[in-house]
Amino acid sequence: MIEKKEGQQMEERILRIITLGIISWTTAFHLFRKFLPKRSFEFCNRLVSTVHATVAFTLASLSVEDWTCPVCPLASRPSHSQMQTLAVSLSYLIYDLICCQFDKRVTIDNTIHHLVSIVGIGAGLAYGKISFAVVFSFARMVFGPYLTWVTLTADNPLVIKAMAVGLQLVSAYWFFKIARMMNYKLTKRTASKNLVYTEKL
């Protein structure tokens, strides 16, 4: 009963963070537009992106429980601080998806990127690490290389192309970490079933 109540409180807290986050990112964008009237829509949105990247990096760093092994313990559920960090990023992605629809250039690959990321983080918050791992892996290792290729072959500045490659490399690194975690969990589950079966015999 206590665990159920704590779970409901956490869900309400996450929803508040997401709602407040969307309002905050939108407000920040409008403030940038107001105080930087000569700057473009895209420039102001990139400023919001920079703020989000700084906040997300800080929160993610603070949520690491053991820096000697940041992904330990393997196959564990996310902590409250980690879930709150995901909620902040989810609120930003929802804001950015909506904001990008009002830009002069609306691209289908950018929209897909946002939708997949939103579904992935949402699944991570709702169902825990396993579903998040599956959605993340599919999104980053199937859609990711395609989006990277589109970015590299398009007429983009060198820094944008470098960032696309860098993000894909980071995705590949985390895919390796997730694959290792999944292998550990499945191996542990199989070993547990075999032990139970042996004891019955």
Side-chain angles (χ1 to χ4, degrees):
M1 186 69 179
I2 295 175
E3 290 183 0
K4 185 176 181 180
K5 186 175 181 181
E6 289 179 351
Q8 289 176 342
Q9 290 176 343
M10 190 60 193
E11 288 177 7
E12 291 174 1
R13 190 180 308 160
I14 293 298
L15 288 175
R16 282 198 299 269
I17 291 173
I18 294 171
T19 304
L20 181 61
I22 295 171
I23 294 171
S24 299
W25 301 124
T26 305
T27 302
F29 173 76
H30 284 294
L31 288 174
F32 284 134
R33 292 287 283 171
K34 181 179 180 179
F35 291 108
L36 300 171
K38 294 184 179 180
R39 294 294 184 174
S40 66
F41 182 101
E42 184 179 2
F43 180 85
C44 293
N45 193 31
R46 287 189 184 278
L47 285 180
V48 179
S49 300
T50 303
V51 174
H52 164 256
T54 305
V55 171
F57 177 80
T58 303
L59 292 176
S61 299
L62 292 173
S63 71
V64 175
E65 297 176 358
D66 182 7
W67 277 101
T68 59
C69 184
V71 296
C72 294
L74 292 173
S76 62
R77 293 186 66 82
S79 65
H80 286 180
S81 60
Q82 290 168 344
M83 291 182 71
Q84 290 169 2
T85 301
L86 285 174
V88 170
S89 288
L90 179 58
S91 70
Y92 166 76
L93 286 165
I94 294 172
Y95 146 79
D96 200 38
L97 172 63
I98 297 170
C99 187
C100 288
Q101 305 310 309
F102 293 95
D103 199 358
K104 293 180 180 179
R105 294 182 301 170
V106 180
T107 57
I108 187 66
D109 54 340
N110 189 42
T111 301
I112 291 174
H113 160 72
H114 281 82
L115 289 173
V116 169
S117 299
I118 289 169
V119 171
I121 295 178
L125 288 170
Y127 302 109
K129 278 196 172 181
I130 296 300
S131 58
F132 175 73
V134 172
V135 175
F136 176 91
S137 300
F138 182 79
R140 294 298 183 178
M141 303 312 295
V142 176
F143 288 109
Y146 168 73
L147 294 176
T148 302
W149 172 254
V150 169
T151 303
L152 290 175
T153 55
D155 186 21
N156 289 314
L158 183 60
V159 65
I160 299 297
K161 294 182 178 182
M163 287 297 292
V165 174
L167 286 171
Q168 186 57 41
L169 290 175
V170 170
S171 295
Y173 169 77
W174 281 108
F175 173 75
F176 168 76
K177 290 287 189 180
I178 288 172
R180 192 174 70 169
M181 180 269 290
M182 293 289 289
N183 181 60
Y184 170 84
K185 190 169 183 67
L186 292 174
T187 302
K188 185 178 178 181
R189 182 177 296 176
T190 302
S192 178
K193 286 183 178 179
N194 289 338
L195 182 60
V196 172
Y197 180 74
T198 304
E199 290 176 351
K200 286 181 178 180
L201 293 177

